Amino acid sequence: MCMQDNTNYNRNYKDSLFRFIFNNKEAALSLYNAVNDSDYQDADAIEFYTMSDFLYMGMKNDLSFLIDWNLNIFEHQSTYNPNMPLRFLIYVTKEYQMLIRNQTLYASTLVELPTPHFVVFYNGEEEREAESVLKLSHSFCQKEDEPELELIVKLLNINLDKKQRILESCCLLKEYMLLVDKIRKYAAEYKDIN
């Protein structure tokens, strides 16, 4: 059956597929190892904190998990978004609230927190460099050399033409991008036919 127009397909397929693929421990561990150039083997050490039901200002979190006291918050983006550090700040505060819910902030003992790491996997069609950094301080109206609050996000362009090392390290991510590339080509061909 032929598609009559292009309104019938899911324009958010990349986000949905990314979450579907990496929402299991083995896949998340593979992605973690590729991002961090590590070799963790025990997928059971992963504890998911993805906020699938968390909606705040129309935002939802793609993938969050804890391993070895590192809180990893990964997002997939098919459009460039300079507001990702602010979004991550909102996500991480919600996740810290969940993690410390049984502890008191008013005690004389230090509340220990897992170290956060923020990564955006970008695969949009707008040209972006292979790797870049987004900072929360970029949003501040008054710029300071040493802002009192900072959040740094690593943005990795995972499009095939960028030949990212991470695609060779994580087979699932590479296969995902091969599929996205094929869908783009078929969508372009279909558009040209109509």
Side-chain angles (χ1 to χ4, degrees):
M1 177 180 201
C2 284
M3 248 195 311
Q4 296 302 313
D5 62 29
N6 61 0
T7 58
N8 292 332
Y9 72 92
N10 180 357
R11 292 187 182 275
N12 297 323
Y13 73 92
K14 290 184 271 187
D15 290 333
S16 301
L17 184 57
F18 183 88
R19 283 190 299 272
F20 176 78
I21 291 171
F22 292 104
N23 198 21
N24 75 64
K25 291 183 176 189
E26 291 78 16
L29 183 62
S30 173
L31 190 58
Y32 174 83
N33 281 334
V35 166
N36 294 290
D37 200 24
S38 57
D39 190 30
Y40 281 90
Q41 298 295 320
D42 184 12
D44 288 331
I46 286 182
E47 191 174 341
F48 282 108
Y49 283 92
T50 305
M51 295 176 279
S52 57
D53 296 328
F54 171 64
L55 288 173
Y56 181 80
M57 299 188 307
M59 300 182 305
K60 69 180 162 182
N61 175 250
D62 284 344
L63 182 64
S64 300
F65 59 91
L66 188 66
I67 183 170
D68 193 27
W69 279 97
N70 287 291
L71 179 60
N72 301 276
I73 306 178
F74 295 163
E75 283 288 314
H76 166 274
Q77 294 288 301
S78 55
T79 55
Y80 174 73
N81 185 338
N83 298 309
M84 289 310 297
L86 181 56
R87 288 176 57 178
F88 278 122
L89 178 64
I90 294 168
Y91 297 154
V92 76
T93 55
K94 293 291 184 187
E95 292 191 26
Y96 279 159
Q97 284 177 333
M98 290 189 313
L99 288 168
I100 65 168
R101 65 180 164 256
N102 296 326
Q103 299 178 53
T104 180
L105 299 178
Y106 301 101
S108 59
T109 55
L110 182 68
V111 173
E112 293 184 331
L113 299 171
T115 304
H117 301 279
F118 309 101
V119 179
V120 170
F121 299 97
Y122 171 79
N123 73 349
E125 296 184 64
E126 178 185 329
E127 183 59 33
R128 305 291 318 166
E129 53 197 32
E131 188 170 327
S132 57
V133 172
L134 303 172
K135 295 182 177 183
L136 182 63
S137 61
H138 292 161
S139 298
F140 298 161
C141 293
Q142 293 193 2
K143 306 301 181 201
E144 297 178 352
D145 291 338
E146 295 182 27
E148 294 178 21
L149 177 64
E150 186 63 276
L151 189 144
I152 299 170
V153 176
K154 182 190 294 187
L155 188 142
L156 299 174
N157 186 337
I158 57 172
N159 282 297
L160 296 176
D161 66 329
K162 297 302 177 189
K163 302 187 185 330
Q164 285 279 16
R165 174 197 56 81
I166 193 172
L167 294 179
E168 301 307 318
S169 302
C170 182
C171 292
L172 283 172
L173 189 62
K174 183 175 185 176
E175 290 168 358
Y176 163 78
M177 282 309 301
L178 287 167
L179 177 62
V180 167
D181 192 57
K182 285 282 188 205
I183 291 171
R184 277 186 188 148
K185 288 177 181 169
Y186 287 132
E189 287 175 17
Y190 176 76
K191 185 178 178 183
D192 291 340
I193 292 172
N194 291 318

